[in-house]
């Protein structure tokens, strides 16, 4: 078919370049060596694992500003046993560039002792994402308050964070170090890449290399001095690629603060013991649960949208006006009657 | 308009952090959905053998002052995970047991209020109302709606609830009863238990109907001694409630068993019609007999040359009439119980007194049995019709048992006698108790007139369908349960009891032992809720 002529081109490209025949080129171009793969020995762990996550859905959006439902919190496990899930933030946010200081500053001041946020023009259209991140840091901070020395806190994401919030993260790192709590960020997707002619996915290819070099085992490699940019200088830590479970194909990007450098093997060993659930093989189970407990579902978003409209209506606003303000033209195109 | 600062900017740490902690809450054994006609609750997926939930079990839901009862229809594997998670499952190393469970789908039976009244429910239990296996406490109200003819104990799934006897109502017996089961599942055993309870009622002076059992297999009178299966005569304590007639010389020599006799004058040409397959001219001739010959002595007449001649005068061929005569002679020769004397008046009197009347006809052929049954039941129906006109107050109703009832109540069967009892017997106080292993062969419309159904294990889907489609109480949701009933287990559906009740029918021999032991006088007083028999 004419209109799909590029499909075969893309397939060719994937076959020839992205799916690796061998790992020689990968090793040569990234500087990764066989000896970089450090095996992880799963070990029992009597402490608690905290997994922090956040979620965000848009209720209505005027491009210039939007209304979001945001939730952040964490799940707590001891061994295989879920102990509790704590929600630290669940609220509606009117993300307006003109009002944003008022939204960020109290949290930065109260929880991290920071001055206030300094936003650039270009940041303003991602306000709700930043706000969700901020709430996730508040959740990490709360988990830190509950954790004991030796416990592990996992964060769903990366520590290479939005610049104006880096200060909050620095405070968190310092508190974790002081308390003796291990803190790791585990990213489901990452923008790490390698390759000179074409952009190649680094995490996937490291996973493939690991399957060859350390088959059926859990392992990690440090990206220190490797030819891949993980912006490591920017946030005072180190990035790793980790396979948590020998039976799984998946590998993840893991960020850790500098103070954990010497303990990665033992911390990952503890996690490996709890990353092999039948529910989600190969991923730290606490993160799986946190994701499910904290995510905002489509229905939930719809329900809050309805409540918001009911409020407007009670306040005397005519339905036609509500519709005009709240309806998204995308929905009209998709013929989704959300309102 | 100025936007007020505090609207968006809270000014204390306490109001900033709105923490909510979700801790392990047991959501099993709580109602989670769904509507007024279907309840769902969840149970752990790995219950131990004795905690396992089974189809047919009854659960109770306490919700403020009400107790809802619901019967398990089905159980499904389920989880809080969407999609086809099960098919991508990697092992059974579940971390979050609370997210994986079995979903129990239950059908509401009704609701008990504070006054212990049971009603169909027009509402549903509150979400998360707790669910427990129903125990004798919740079933107590059933004791109040049970009748006087005990047949078994209430069953919850496979468990017995011995405190709650299941008992049918004498009052419903002229509204016909059906007993259905695949062969060997316990129909005959049920009938013996039923008969025993009737004998006991008679002995206490509480009988409201006479029960006629015509037994071609010779199993009711004395049972089968080699299998330790007992018969009705073994219930010595209530023997006065039983009248026995037998065609077997040896059985009839027992005291208390009378030799059966039917007088020739009680036999009509239609009865003979049942015995053979007839050609159309032969059938015409049979039908003409009662017009041509004297109805009271036609059997004798037709065998005489004069009778033959009169038939031929009416235009019937001699070969046709010869066949009739030959077959009649045959039949009279074979059935030595046809004589001048007759037991029928006596049988009728016993039925009207409210006794169990057992007509024991061992080793009799299928057709002969039908013939006999036809003669007896016509006699009974006619006498009850007469009595109705004469306004006999004291006589009891009567229930006529038909084994293999599909032979005479089938769709398109030509034995209209039983159909007419089914259709009009009720007016005169005569009911039918149809026993069959093949309800699918019974006429649907007739089936829908049966007010009491005792359904035991039925393997054939068509049999179950036929019952489900015509029963007065809705049985369709119990299909899986009926399919999986074990020997002696039954679902009893009768209009006086508000929902089809799962029962374990007593084993006759056990029941017998219990009845022999019980105190006749005491049981006279505690009518209705009998003392449970706990060995
Ligand atoms: N309620 C019961 N409890 C225990 N055993 C029972 C029960 N009912 C029947 N049985 C056993 O099952 C056997 C078969 O029972 P029964 O003769 O009553 O079956 P049926 O349905 O009349 O069979 P058929 O179709 O051959 O007439 C009996 O020997 C009896 O021991
Ligand atoms: Mg039988």
């Amino acid at each position: 078919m004419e209109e799909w002529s590029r499909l075969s081109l893309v397939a060719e490209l994937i076959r020839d370049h992205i799916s690796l025949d061998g790992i020689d080129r990968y090793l040569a171009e990234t500087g990764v060596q066989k000896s970089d793969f450090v095996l992880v020995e799963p070990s029992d762990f009597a402490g608690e694992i905290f997994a922090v996550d956040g979620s965000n859905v848009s209720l209505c959006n005027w491009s210039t500003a939007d209304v979001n439902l945001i939730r952040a919190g964490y799940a707590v496990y001891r061994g295989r046993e879920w102990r509790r899930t704590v929600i630290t933030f669940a609220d509606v946010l009117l993300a307006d560039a003109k009002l944003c200081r008022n939204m960020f500053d109290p949290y930065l001041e109260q929880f991290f002792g920071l001055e206030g946020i300094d936003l650039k023009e270009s940041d303003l259209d991602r306000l709700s994402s930043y706000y969700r991140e901020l709430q996730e840091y508040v959740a990490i901070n709360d988990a830190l308050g509950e954790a004991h020395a030796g416990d592990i806190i996992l964060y769903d994401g990366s520590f290479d964070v939005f610049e104006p919030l880096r200060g909050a993260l620095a405070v968190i790192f310092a508190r974790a170090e002081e308390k003796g709590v291990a803190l790791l960020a585990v990213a489901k997707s990452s923008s790490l890449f390698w390759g000179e002619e074409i952009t190649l996915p680094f995490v996937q290819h490291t996973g493939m290399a690991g399957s060859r070099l350390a088959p059926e085992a859990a392992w990690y490699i440090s990206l220190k001095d490797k030819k891949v940019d993980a912006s490591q200088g920017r946030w005072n830590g180190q990035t790793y690629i980790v396979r948590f479970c020998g039976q799984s194909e998946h590998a993840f990007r893991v960020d850790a603060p500098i103070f954990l450098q010497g303990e990665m093997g033992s911390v990952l060993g503890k996690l490996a013991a709890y990353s092999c659930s039948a529910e989600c093989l190969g991923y730290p189970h606490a993160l799986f649960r946190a994701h499910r407990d904290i995510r905002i579902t489509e229905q939930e978003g719809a329900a809050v949208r309805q409540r918001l409209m009911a409020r407007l209506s009670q306040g005397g606003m005519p339905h036609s006006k509500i519709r005009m303000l709240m309806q998204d033209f995308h929905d009209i195109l998709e013929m989704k009657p959300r309102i | 308009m100025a936007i007020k600062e505090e609207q968006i900017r809270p000014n204390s740490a306490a109001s900033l952090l709105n923490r909510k902690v979700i801790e392990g809450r047991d959501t099993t054994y709580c109602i989670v959905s769904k509507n007024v006609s279907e309840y769902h609750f969840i149970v752990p997926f790995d219950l131990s053998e004795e905690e396992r939930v089974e189809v047919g079990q009854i659960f109770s839901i306490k919700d403020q002052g009400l107790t809802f009862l619901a019967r398990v229809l089905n159980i499904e594997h389920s989880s809080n995970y969407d999609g086809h998670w099960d098919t991508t499952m990697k092992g059974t190393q579940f971390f979050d047991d609370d997210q994986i469970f079995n979903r129990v789908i239950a059908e509401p039976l009704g609701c008990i209020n504070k006054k212990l009244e049971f009603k169909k429910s027009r509402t549903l239990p509150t979400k998360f109302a707790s669910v427990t296996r129903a125990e004798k406490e919740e079933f107590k109200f059933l004791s109040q709606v049970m009748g006087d003819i005990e047949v078994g104990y209430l069953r919850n799934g496979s468990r017995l609830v011995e405190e709650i006897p299941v008992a049918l109502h004498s009052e419903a017996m002229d509204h016909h009863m059906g007993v259905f089961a695949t062969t060997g599942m316990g129909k005959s055993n049920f009938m013996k238990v039923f008969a025993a309870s009737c004998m006991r009622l008679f002995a206490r002076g509480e009988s409201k109907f006479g029960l006629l059992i015509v037994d071609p297999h010779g199993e009711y009178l004395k049972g089968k001694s080699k299998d330790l299966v007992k018969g009705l005569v073994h219930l010595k304590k209530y023997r006065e409630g039983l009248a026995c007639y037998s065609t077997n010389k040896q059985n009839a020599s027992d005291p208390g068993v009378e030799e059966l006799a039917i007088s020739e004058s009680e036999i009509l040409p239609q009865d003979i019609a049942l015995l053979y397959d007839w050609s159309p001219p032969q059938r015409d001739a049979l039908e003409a007999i009662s017009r041509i010959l004297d109805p009271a002595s036609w059997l004798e007449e037709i065998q005489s040359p004069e009778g033959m001649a009169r038939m031929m005068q009416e235009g019937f061929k001699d070969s046709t009439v010869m066949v009739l005569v030959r077959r009649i002679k045959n039949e009279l020769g074979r059935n030595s119980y046809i004589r001048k004397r007759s037991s029928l008046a006596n049988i009728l009197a016993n039925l009207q007194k409210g006794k169990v009347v057992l007509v024991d006809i061992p080793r009799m052929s299928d057709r002969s049995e039908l013939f006999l049954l036809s003669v007896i039941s016509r006699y009974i129906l006619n006498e009850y019709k007469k009595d109705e006109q004469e306004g006999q107050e004291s006589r009891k109703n009567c229930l006529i048992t038909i084994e293999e009832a599909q032979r005479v109540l089938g769709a398109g069967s030509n034995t209209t006698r039983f159909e007419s009892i089914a259709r009009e017997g009720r007016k005169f106080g005569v009911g039918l108790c149809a026993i069959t292993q093949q309800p699918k062969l019974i006429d649907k419309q007739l089936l829908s007139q049966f007010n009491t159904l005792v359904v035991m294990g039925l393997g054939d889907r068509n049999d179950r369908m036929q019952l489900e489609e015509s029963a007065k109480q809705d049985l369709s949701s119990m299909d899986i349960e009926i399919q999986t009933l074990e020997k002696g287990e039954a679902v009893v559906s009768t209009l006086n009891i508000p929902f089809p009740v799962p029962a374990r029918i007593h084993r006759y021999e056990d029941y017998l032992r219990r009845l022999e032991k019980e105190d006749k006088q005491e049981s006279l007083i505690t009518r209705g809720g009998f003392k449970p028999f706990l060995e």
Side-chain angles (χ1 to χ4, degrees):
Chain A
M1 266 195 291
E2 276 285 283
E3 60 271 42
W4 291 107
S5 58
R6 294 209 173 182
L7 194 65
S8 46
L9 202 72
V10 169
E12 221 165 276
L13 223 60
I14 292 176
R15 196 176 57 233
D16 295 351
H17 299 281
I18 297 179
S19 111
L20 295 186
D21 277 339
I23 55 173
D24 297 345
R25 188 157 69 93
Y26 163 85
L27 295 176
E29 287 187 26
T30 59
V32 173
Q33 292 171 3
K34 182 172 181 190
S35 59
D36 288 326
F37 286 85
V38 183
L39 294 191
V40 172
E41 194 56 49
S43 67
D44 275 353
F45 174 47
E48 287 190 317
I49 298 176
F50 296 72
V52 179
D53 204 351
S55 172
N56 178 7
V57 297
S58 162
L59 300 184
C60 67
N61 185 340
W62 304 287
S63 298
T64 49
D66 57 1
V67 179
N68 280 267
L69 182 57
I70 291 175
R71 181 150 67 210
Y74 54 92
V76 186
Y77 273 78
R78 187 179 295 280
R80 297 171 52 145
E81 202 174 311
W82 173 74
R83 308 304 293 263
R84 64 193 177 279
T85 292
V86 178
I87 304 295
T88 49
F89 186 86
D91 212 340
V92 172
L93 170 80
L94 174 66
D96 180 306
K98 301 227 167 82
L99 302 172
C100 61
R101 282 195 147 272
N102 296 322
M103 305 167 343
F104 285 85
D105 291 359
Y107 288 94
L108 288 170
E109 285 162 18
Q110 297 282 347
F111 291 98
F112 304 105
L114 299 173
E115 276 277 295
I117 198 153
D118 181 19
L119 292 165
K120 294 192 201 65
E121 193 71 32
S122 60
D123 295 330
L124 295 178
D125 57 346
R126 295 197 57 213
L127 269 185
S128 59
S129 306
Y130 295 152
Y131 194 72
R132 166 187 157 179
E133 280 177 35
L134 172 65
Q135 289 305 336
E136 289 172 345
Y137 305 148
V138 172
I140 297 178
N141 189 60
D142 195 73
L144 262 173
E146 302 225 319
H148 297 94
D151 287 352
I152 300 174
I153 296 179
L154 302 175
Y155 170 58
D156 177 43
S158 151
F159 286 144
D160 179 16
V161 307
F162 168 55
E163 208 259 316
L165 293 176
R166 242 169 248 165
L169 201 60
V171 174
I172 287 172
F173 280 12
R175 285 180 185 164
E177 183 171 13
E178 192 183 328
K179 207 161 181 182
V181 172
L183 180 64
L184 301 176
V186 179
K188 287 191 287 286
S189 58
S190 97
S191 50
L192 298 180
F193 62 90
W194 66 285
E196 280 149 21
E197 297 147 23
I198 180 170
T199 313
L200 296 168
F202 184 77
V203 175
Q204 281 81 348
H205 285 153
T206 306
M208 283 171 56
S211 299
R212 303 266 173 98
L213 301 172
E216 318 236 316
W219 46 255
Y220 71 97
I221 72 168
S222 162
L223 299 195
K224 191 163 198 263
D225 304 327
K226 300 292 173 282
K227 279 184 241 157
V228 52
D229 177 20
S231 339
Q232 293 171 82
R234 296 215 296 252
W235 52 272
N236 191 29
Q238 180 65 56
T239 297
Y240 303 82
I241 305 297
V242 180
R243 171 168 294 163
F244 288 101
C245 172
Q247 295 103 282
S248 161
E249 288 294 300
H250 297 282
F252 301 90
R253 168 186 171 151
V254 174
D255 292 347
I258 278 296
F259 72 86
L260 278 181
Q261 227 168 5
E263 303 171 45
M264 278 310 275
S266 95
V267 172
L268 291 176
K270 290 167 186 168
L271 279 178
Y274 303 105
S275 301
C276 51
S277 71
E279 288 95 329
C280 193
L281 190 71
Y283 188 55
H285 187 83
L287 278 171
F288 167 79
R289 177 71 181 240
H291 172 78
R292 294 192 59 88
D293 281 2
I294 289 158
R295 80 193 155 141
I296 299 166
T297 60
E298 183 90 4
Q299 296 99 298
E300 226 177 319
V304 175
R305 188 179 298 118
Q306 291 295 338
R307 286 220 293 276
L308 179 58
M309 292 192 306
R311 279 291 156 83
L312 293 174
S313 175
Q314 277 163 17
M317 193 185 275
H319 194 73
S320 57
K321 203 163 179 183
I322 296 175
R323 201 164 47 215
M324 202 266 285
L325 280 173
M326 303 266 306
Q327 201 166 32
D328 187 325
F329 206 79
H330 293 103
D331 289 342
I332 298 173
L333 290 185
E334 296 295 333
M335 302 172 91
K336 267 201 284 188
R338 286 210 292 188
I339 289 179
Chain B
M1 191 187 75
I3 292 172
K4 282 195 216 129
E5 183 90 328
E6 70 268 25
Q7 275 183 334
I8 351 149
R9 180 169 177 157
N11 42 20
S12 78
S15 65
L16 275 181
L17 197 61
N18 187 10
R19 259 171 126 252
K20 203 173 92 192
V21 180
I22 306 155
E23 267 164 317
R25 177 166 71 133
D26 198 4
T27 50
T28 57
Y29 296 102
C30 292
I31 292 291
V32 291
S33 54
K34 174 184 177 181
N35 58 32
V36 176
S37 55
E38 190 174 299
Y39 304 162
H40 292 187
F41 61 93
I42 60 175
V43 297
F45 70 92
D46 53 355
L47 283 175
S48 69
E49 189 60 37
E50 72 210 51
E51 291 174 310
R52 261 177 197 264
V53 177
E54 294 172 8
V55 165
Q57 278 173 350
I58 296 176
F59 279 79
S60 87
I61 303 135
K62 292 238 160 50
D63 186 13
Q64 287 144 42
L66 302 173
T67 302
F68 294 85
L69 290 184
R71 174 182 2 235
V72 175
L73 296 180
N74 210 342
I75 307 154
E76 294 174 351
H77 287 151
S78 186
S79 75
N80 280 336
Y81 306 120
D82 318 314
H84 298 286
W85 177 80
D86 278 357
T87 62
T88 61
M89 187 179 77
K90 299 178 178 75
T92 51
Q93 292 272 306
F94 297 122
F95 276 38
D96 297 339
D97 282 356
D98 58 325
Q99 303 288 310
I100 295 147
F101 40 80
N102 284 352
R103 176 179 290 264
V104 179
I105 298 157
E107 151 197 57
L109 296 175
C111 185
I112 310 166
N113 64 18
K114 285 198 186 107
K115 286 183 253 160
L116 231 69
E117 294 164 328
F118 181 87
K119 300 238 166 72
K120 291 281 170 207
S121 176
R122 293 187 188 154
T123 177
L124 78 177
T126 313
K127 196 161 177 121
F128 297 131
S130 85
V131 181
T132 53
R133 218 176 281 265
E135 301 289 351
K136 59 172 191 276
E137 204 53 33
E138 284 87 43
F139 290 127
K140 266 200 180 133
F141 79 94
L142 271 180
S143 309
Q144 296 162 4
V145 293
M146 286 296 168
D148 47 356
I149 316 166
E150 180 173 332
V151 294
Y153 288 129
L154 185 70
R155 179 173 56 78
N156 193 358
S158 331
R159 296 188 199 187
L160 268 197
V161 188
E162 289 183 275
E163 292 82 357
I164 313 285
V166 171
L168 300 172
H169 287 261
S170 288
E171 294 80 11
M173 286 306 140
D174 57 348
H175 291 47
H176 312 309
M177 169 158 93
V179 179
F180 310 104
T182 307
T183 181
M185 292 305 266
K187 297 181 294 293
S188 305
N189 178 78
F190 169 83
M191 284 313 296
K192 283 191 288 185
V193 170
F194 182 79
S197 288
C198 293
M199 286 160 66
R200 174 211 224 182
L201 281 178
F202 178 87
R204 295 166 169 190
E206 293 180 350
S207 171
K208 297 202 182 68
F209 67 97
L211 172 66
L212 175 71
I213 301 177
V214 175
D215 173 20
H217 306 302
E219 58 180 338
Y220 288 106
L221 188 69
K222 294 184 192 167
K224 283 172 257 167
S225 55
K226 78 170 188 327
D227 299 334
L228 299 173
V229 173
K230 299 276 200 230
L232 295 182
V233 294
H234 294 114
L235 180 51
K236 296 210 179 64
K237 181 177 239 157
Y238 300 125
R239 185 63 178 76
E240 62 204 276
L242 178 69
C244 298
Y245 301 83
S246 181
T247 53
N248 178 295
K249 289 260 159 28
Q250 202 193 331
N251 285 347
S253 68
D254 282 11
V257 180
E258 192 184 315
E259 190 173 350
L260 180 74
I262 301 284
S263 110
E264 288 182 4
S265 64
E266 285 158 349
I267 296 169
L268 292 188
Q270 300 95 286
D271 302 322
I272 298 286
L274 284 174
L275 286 164
Y276 296 91
D277 293 325
W278 305 96
S279 68
Q282 290 163 349
R283 188 164 286 281
D284 288 347
L286 262 175
E287 276 164 16
I289 289 176
S290 31
R291 185 164 44 80
I292 300 162
L293 305 176
D294 176 0
S297 57
W298 69 277
L299 264 181
E300 225 170 307
E301 272 182 46
I302 200 166
Q303 296 180 63
S304 68
E306 297 79 25
M308 282 276 290
R310 282 175 57 194
M311 288 297 287
M312 268 135 59
Q313 272 168 19
E314 292 287 326
F316 293 104
K317 281 207 219 139
D318 63 343
S319 58
T320 307
V321 182
M322 294 287 270
V323 173
L324 289 189
V325 171
R326 180 157 35 83
R327 288 183 172 179
I328 286 167
K329 277 189 173 152
N330 248 339
E331 219 45 51
L332 292 178
R334 192 169 346 159
N335 294 311
S336 53
Y337 60 83
I338 302 174
R339 340 163 152 230
K340 302 288 172 228
R341 180 172 76 81
S342 169
S343 317
L344 285 185
N346 203 329
I347 287 177
L348 180 76
N350 279 324
L351 287 173
Q352 296 195 331
K353 275 186 226 158
K355 284 194 192 190
V356 174
V357 173
L358 175 60
V359 179
D360 175 55
I361 48 170
R363 284 187 293 282
M364 193 174 275
S365 77
D366 213 28
R367 285 180 186 255
S368 303
E369 177 212 346
L370 274 188
F371 162 77
L372 186 63
L373 193 56
S374 160
V375 173
I376 300 178
S377 33
R378 184 196 48 246
Y379 179 84
I380 291 172
L381 188 63
N382 284 342
E383 294 301 315
Y384 269 81
K385 277 185 185 169
K386 276 189 220 158
D387 286 352
E388 184 70 18
Q389 287 148 11
E390 288 157 19
Q392 259 227 13
E393 292 297 313
S394 64
R395 69 139 167 83
K396 312 273 195 250
N397 285 346
C398 153
L399 182 66
I400 300 177
T401 303
I402 311 174
E403 288 257 5
E404 307 294 345
Q406 76 281 359
R407 293 175 303 177
V408 290
L409 299 176
S413 71
N414 57 9
T415 43
T416 50
R417 168 131 330 122
F418 298 99
E419 291 198 26
S420 72
I421 298 182
R423 289 186 207 290
E424 55 166 22
R426 213 187 115 186
K427 275 188 283 187
F428 312 108
V430 179
L432 278 187
C433 171
I435 304 174
T436 178
Q437 2 175 337
Q438 291 175 293
K440 66 175 175 227
L441 298 181
I442 305 244
D443 185 68
K444 252 193 193 156
Q445 222 198 325
L446 281 182
L447 213 47
S448 69
Q449 316 251 343
F450 286 32
N451 271 6
T452 301
L453 302 181
V454 177
V455 185
M456 305 171 86
L458 280 173
D460 185 331
R461 190 165 166 274
N462 294 324
D463 284 331
R464 296 196 303 274
M465 293 268 286
Q466 179 86 348
L467 283 182
E468 285 156 15
E469 281 167 16
S470 25
K472 287 225 164 108
Q473 278 183 332
D474 187 8
L475 296 177
S476 55
S477 61
M478 302 185 71
D479 192 68
I480 301 180
E481 182 173 1
I482 294 174
Q483 192 185 345
T484 54
L485 288 175
E486 290 179 18
K487 192 180 279 188
E489 291 180 343
V491 169
V492 176
S493 160
T494 179
L495 287 192
N496 312 54
I497 302 175
F499 57 84
V501 170
R504 165 93 49 83
I505 303 302
H506 297 313
R507 197 171 82 98
Y508 176 67
E509 291 70 23
D510 296 341
Y511 190 47
L512 198 63
R513 238 180 316 137
R514 173 181 138 194
L515 293 185
E516 289 292 351
K517 256 190 226 164
E518 76 181 358
D519 184 341
K520 218 166 166 179
Q521 280 323 108
E522 189 192 350
S523 49
L524 261 173
I525 302 159
T526 56
R527 208 220 116 164
F530 303 130
K531 273 202 314 187
F533 171 64
L534 299 170
E535 290 244 279

